Each structure stands twice: as C-alpha cells, then as structure tokens.
Amino acid sequence: MNKILFFAHLRDEAGHESVEIEAVGKTVAQLKEMVAEKYGVQKLDTSMTAINEEFSSNDEVIKEGDTIAFIPPVSGG
Amino acid sequence: MMNYEIAKDPINVQSVIDKVVQREAGAITTFIGTVRELTKGKKTLYLIYEAYEPMAVKKLEQIGTEIQERWNGAEVAITHRVGKLDITDIAVVIAVSTPHRNDAYEANRYAIERIKEIVPIWKKEHWEDGQEWIGNQLETVPYPTGKPEEKDLNE
C-alpha cells in the first residue's frame, strides 16, 4: 500500500489530506491519472511529485510503502 | 541546534542570527520576509502558510548545503513560519554569515530565491472578497517532468 499526500488547493479539491491506495508498480504519471480520476483533482499535471520526501520524475516507479506527495507550485518566503 | 526550522510560533529574529555567529565571520546578513498588505492593489487581510514539514526542513537544509558549496566559510540558518499570519508579521528569517560582506549579501539573496523554487510551503491569501491558495501565480513555471529541472536545482 501507499500513502498519498495532498497539499494546498489539491487537498481542498481532493477533500482529503491523505489517502491510502495501492500504487505499487505504477509510474508517477500513471498514479497522477488514477488520482485525478478517483478524487476529481485537477492540475496534477502542473504539480511536482515527491516520493519519500524527495522530488521525483513522472517516470519513476512506485514501490511498496512509498509515500507520494503531490506538490503544487510553492509560494513560501 | 537546529539551523533549519518550520515554526508555528512567532520567530525570534535574534535567535536565528545567533545560530550563524562564528569567529571567522566579518559579516552577517539577515533577511526578514514580512506579510504585505497590498498586492497589485488588492488588500490582504491575513495569510495562512502551510508546509509539508519534514520535506520542507530537508529542502531548507539542501539550500544551506548549496550555499556552503558556493560561498566558502558560510554559515546559514533559516526559519519559516506556518499558520495564520497578520499583516507585518514575519514569515521567514534567513541569516548568513561569511568572512566577507559581499558573500553574505549574495548568499542570503540566493537562499530566498531558492525557497521560492523548491521548498514545499504554500500560502493562502485571504481578502475581503475571498481566498485563494497562491501557487506560482500565473503558472509560469509548470514542471512538465514532474520535478524541477536540473538547472533549477543546481544553478
């Protein structure tokens, strides 16, 4: 199983801070499609993704126990 | 002593500065980011800052490491606040010490620009007539590959 984290407007859209889903073996791009469909989240294509707190590319493959966070464009500072 | 922090309470500026005091330093620069009332004529009532805290701390540490690789002898401390902030409140404090002043200015500027690129912190603007999460406002920097390009990370 995998933990998926949503932040900022993505969390508002998903209606969840985090969800547990089975994403092992999928690429980040495939997971984005799945999550967009299941949770009605737009704009995932302009979000960055972090696996286990490190930025990852869209073609990275998700492993058992990975935590995946969708990172909308940041606005700190 | 933790040089990179996400804080829920008001930031003590002096405590951030104290972390970079070193005998080798000839300069300490301090950047204090504050909450502005007017943005493009629109009046902000208050902001909510949110962070993906463990990753945000890691990315602040990464910025510190990048600075130490570029500016010899630099010491860096950064604290970013989260939660509800009112106008004039301090959102971020960056302190950099270096042997010579020019490096301290340049490295400090580098830190704030990098925060705006790679640290997972978001602000939600609250106005009289609504509220909105602010991204890169005009989405001028989408990341088609899903992460910052190498040049964004390493420039």
Side-chain angles (χ1 to χ4, degrees), chain B residues 4 8 21 25 30 39 54 85 95 101-102 107 122 130 141 151:
Chain B
Y4 306 96
K8 292 175 182 68
V21 170
T30 309
T39 297
L85 274 74
R101 67 182 178 282
N102 190 50
W122 302 271
V141 189
K151 67 176 172 56

Side-chain angles (χ1 to χ4, degrees), chain A:
Chain A
M1 288 296 281
N2 299 98
K3 192 172 191 182
I4 314 293
L5 305 177
F6 299 107
F7 293 97
H9 68 83
L10 295 179
R11 183 192 53 235
D12 293 350
E13 283 181 42
H16 300 277
E17 280 186 24
S18 71
V19 294
E20 300 268 338
I21 63 176
E22 183 58 67
V24 176
K26 292 189 190 312
T27 63
V28 167
Q30 288 169 331
L31 176 66
K32 281 183 174 180
E33 279 177 31
M34 193 169 128
V35 166
E37 197 170 317
K38 191 165 181 195
Y39 298 98
V41 181
Q42 309 294 316
K43 292 190 180 175
L44 278 179
D45 49 341
T46 58
S47 289
M48 296 180 276
T49 309
I51 298 179
N52 303 328
E53 301 170 6
E54 193 49 68
F55 287 115
S56 71
S57 64
N58 275 330
D59 50 19
E60 202 144 327
V61 177
I62 293 156
K63 296 188 288 295
E64 174 61 32
D66 281 350
T67 295
I68 299 99
F70 294 116
I71 313 277
V74 302
S75 50

Side-chain angles (χ1 to χ4, degrees), chain A residues 53, chain B residues 2-7 51-64 78 80 118-121:
Chain A
E53 301 170 6
Chain B
M2 311 246 290
N3 279 34
Y4 306 96
E5 290 188 61
I6 300 297
Y52 179 17
E53 187 168 335
M55 183 171 170
V57 171
K58 280 187 189 177
K59 292 289 127 186
L60 292 175
E61 286 170 354
Q62 178 185 324
I63 292 169
I78 306 172
H80 200 298
I118 65 163
V119 181
I121 297 175

Side-chain angles (χ1 to χ4, degrees), chain B residues 27-29 71 96-98 100-109:
Chain B
I28 298 175
T29 53
W71 289 278
V96 178
S97 68
T98 56
H100 300 285
R101 67 182 178 282
N102 190 50
D103 285 354
Y105 275 114
E106 284 184 4
N108 201 307
R109 177 65 188 266

